DNA sequence: CGCTAAATAT
DNA sequence: CATATTTAGC
């Protein structure tokens, strides 16, 4: 991506993957992309898309219709945004609030309605840039916990620890980190989730097993609370539905992994587990 | 060691 | 209070 942006001919050469069941739509997109010298790869089936990404072909940005046959596009988009870390642009015929909500919540960079207009295609590289910027910020945040802030431990051991006293800051679980955490838990299944494996799947530099273990403990407590809440005839719990909403993974799906395997993907997970 | 629950700190 | 870290015990 950095290579792409540093390229003097800038947005020319943008590598686009377009996924849509409708060939006509793909051809239209291809025409527009060619006009701006973007390299476009067309896919009209879920398995084609998965195979292309499986081969580690790299793309700068993905266009996808959320209503693909034989595929849960939202889970797919979540995978692409978190693991491949490229922006995803949804393109659908409807523009209901719930559709847009689902798309953005699973990580899409923006939501467009079909048919796409040329200007939208022309400037879609902005999402690549934005993704890179926020990514860097995220790295800084995580790195900062290695070098920053101090704790008032010990009295005279300042000499002893000397220049090594880079005390770590308290880790803040940003929404991005938490989403990544949820993603990892989803891959493993809640019951099979263990801190070490979660950490491996999250693959966030600077993050420790202890961090994940702590977060997992908190996460389980929140889940238990919300479960207990819905069951018995609880009166008016003061925090009923608002505060814990973001803790719940609305995409939770028990046979999620199975679906991926059926689609021919998911081998990256197996590689991790080996 | 790894994991979790509990205690402790911010 | 909520949340992150540390500790204790399995």
């Amino acid at each position: 991506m950095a290579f792409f942006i540093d390229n003097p001919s800038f947005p020319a050469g943008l590598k686009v993957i377009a996924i849509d069941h409708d060939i006509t739509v793909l051809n239209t997109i291809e025409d527009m992309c060619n006009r701006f010298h973007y390299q476009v790869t067309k896919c009209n089936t879920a398995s084609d898309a998965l195979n292309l990404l499986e081969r580690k072909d790299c793309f700068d940005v993905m266009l996808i219709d959320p209503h693909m046959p034989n595929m849960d596009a939202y889970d797919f988009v979540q995978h692409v945004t978190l693991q491949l870390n490229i922006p995803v642009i949804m393109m659908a015929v409807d523009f209901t609030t719930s559709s847009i909500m689902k798309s953005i919540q699973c990580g899409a960079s923006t939501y467009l309605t079909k048919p796409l207009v040329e200007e939208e295609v022309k400037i879609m590289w902005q999402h690549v840039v934005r993704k890179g910027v926020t990514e860097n910020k995220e790295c800084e945040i995580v790195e900062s916990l290695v070098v920053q802030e101090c704790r008032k431990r010990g009295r005279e051991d300042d000499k002893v620890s000397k220049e090594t006293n880079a005390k770590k800051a308290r880790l803040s679980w940003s929404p991005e980190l938490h989403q990544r955490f949820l993603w990892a838990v989803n891959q493993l299944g809640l019951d099979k989730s263990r801190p070490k494996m979660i950490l491996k799947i999250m693959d966030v530099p600077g993050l420790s097993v202890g961090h994940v273990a702590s977060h997992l403990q908190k996460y389980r407590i929140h889940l238990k609370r919300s479960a207990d809440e819905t069951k018995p005839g609880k009166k008016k719990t003061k925090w009923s539905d608002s505060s814990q909403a973001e803790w719940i993974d609305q995409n939770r799906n028990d046979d999620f992994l199975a679906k991926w395997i059926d689609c021919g993907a998911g081998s990256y997970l197996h590689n991790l587990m080996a």
Side-chain angles (χ1 to χ4, degrees):
Chain A
M1 196 278 288
F3 169 75
F4 165 68
I5 288 186
D6 291 339
N7 190 315
S9 56
F10 182 46
L14 182 74
K15 293 191 288 296
V16 182
I17 178 170
I19 304 168
D20 197 304
H21 182 59
D22 187 344
I23 296 278
T24 313
V25 172
L26 291 176
N27 288 335
T28 305
I29 293 172
E30 182 178 39
D31 286 343
M32 291 192 286
C33 282
N34 287 338
R35 223 160 292 154
F36 307 116
H37 308 288
Y38 298 161
Q39 308 172 25
V40 60
T41 304
K42 298 181 289 182
C43 293
N44 74 323
T45 67
S47 55
D48 281 354
L50 293 172
N51 286 333
L52 280 167
L53 298 169
E54 190 77 3
R55 292 188 200 125
K56 296 231 186 305
D57 284 325
C58 60
F59 300 98
D60 296 311
V61 59
M62 169 180 291
L63 290 165
I64 184 171
D65 185 316
H67 306 110
M68 286 291 289
N70 304 319
M71 160 189 263
D72 185 328
Y74 300 102
D75 283 336
F76 177 65
V77 168
Q78 193 168 32
H79 167 250
V80 170
T81 54
L82 289 178
Q83 301 301 123
L84 273 47
N85 205 42
I86 62 172
V88 172
I89 298 174
M90 293 295 207
M91 39 181 196
V93 286
D94 60 318
F95 46 96
T96 59
T97 304
S98 65
S99 293
I100 301 173
M101 189 73 76
K102 267 205 308 194
S103 296
I104 300 302
Q105 280 181 156
C106 74
S109 290
T110 193
Y111 187 101
L112 302 178
T113 52
K114 290 200 283 191
L116 266 48
V117 301
E118 190 170 291
E119 190 68 14
E120 291 169 335
V121 171
K122 180 182 181 180
I123 65 176
M124 65 182 169
W125 54 264
Q126 68 182 289
H127 301 291
V128 181
V129 179
R130 181 178 296 114
K131 192 95 181 170
V133 170
T134 52
E135 170 78 2
N136 289 336
K137 278 182 185 166
E138 222 175 288
C139 283
E140 286 170 18
I141 289 171
V142 178
E143 281 171 15
S144 72
L145 54 94
V146 186
V147 247
Q148 218 194 5
E149 201 42 67
C150 44
R151 277 182 60 201
K152 44 73 195 278
R153 159 179 351 179
R155 350 268 152 172
E156 61 276 39
D157 59 355
D158 3 334
K159 308 289 178 64
V160 182
S161 50
K162 36 190 145 183
E163 62 280 329
T164 316
N165 60 359
K167 327 237 172 101
K168 350 159 205 183
R170 185 190 171 93
L171 169 67
S172 174
W173 281 83
S174 66
E176 289 76 18
L177 266 184
H178 181 59
Q179 206 200 340
R180 226 175 160 85
F181 169 84
L182 287 181
W183 156 261
V185 169
N186 255 343
Q187 302 308 300
L188 295 165
L190 182 57
D191 48 338
K192 287 166 251 164
S193 291
R194 294 293 180 271
K196 199 174 181 183
M197 196 56 74
I198 296 173
L199 178 68
K200 190 172 288 188
I201 294 180
M202 286 182 70
D203 193 32
V204 173
L207 198 65
S208 75
V209 194
H211 290 135
V212 175
S214 168
H215 196 65
L216 181 61
Q217 179 180 36
K218 183 157 60 74
Y219 180 59
R220 285 169 172 162
I221 289 171
H222 277 257
L223 286 184
K224 187 186 298 290
R225 278 183 181 171
S226 53
D228 294 342
E229 218 168 53
T230 46
K231 288 271 185 70
K234 280 297 180 187
K235 317 258 167 123
K236 46 273 180 154
T237 44
K238 52 187 176 183
W239 59 11
S240 40
D241 283 281
S242 52
S243 59
Q244 38 80 305
E246 57 218 69
W247 282 95
I248 312 230
D249 184 358
Q250 50 286 86
N251 283 333
R252 178 126 37 118
N253 189 342
D254 290 336
D255 66 338
F256 177 84
L257 186 55
K259 272 194 307 186
W260 275 88
I261 293 172
D262 287 345
C263 286
S267 60
Y268 77 99
L269 235 195
H270 295 136
N271 292 338
L272 278 176
M273 290 172 170

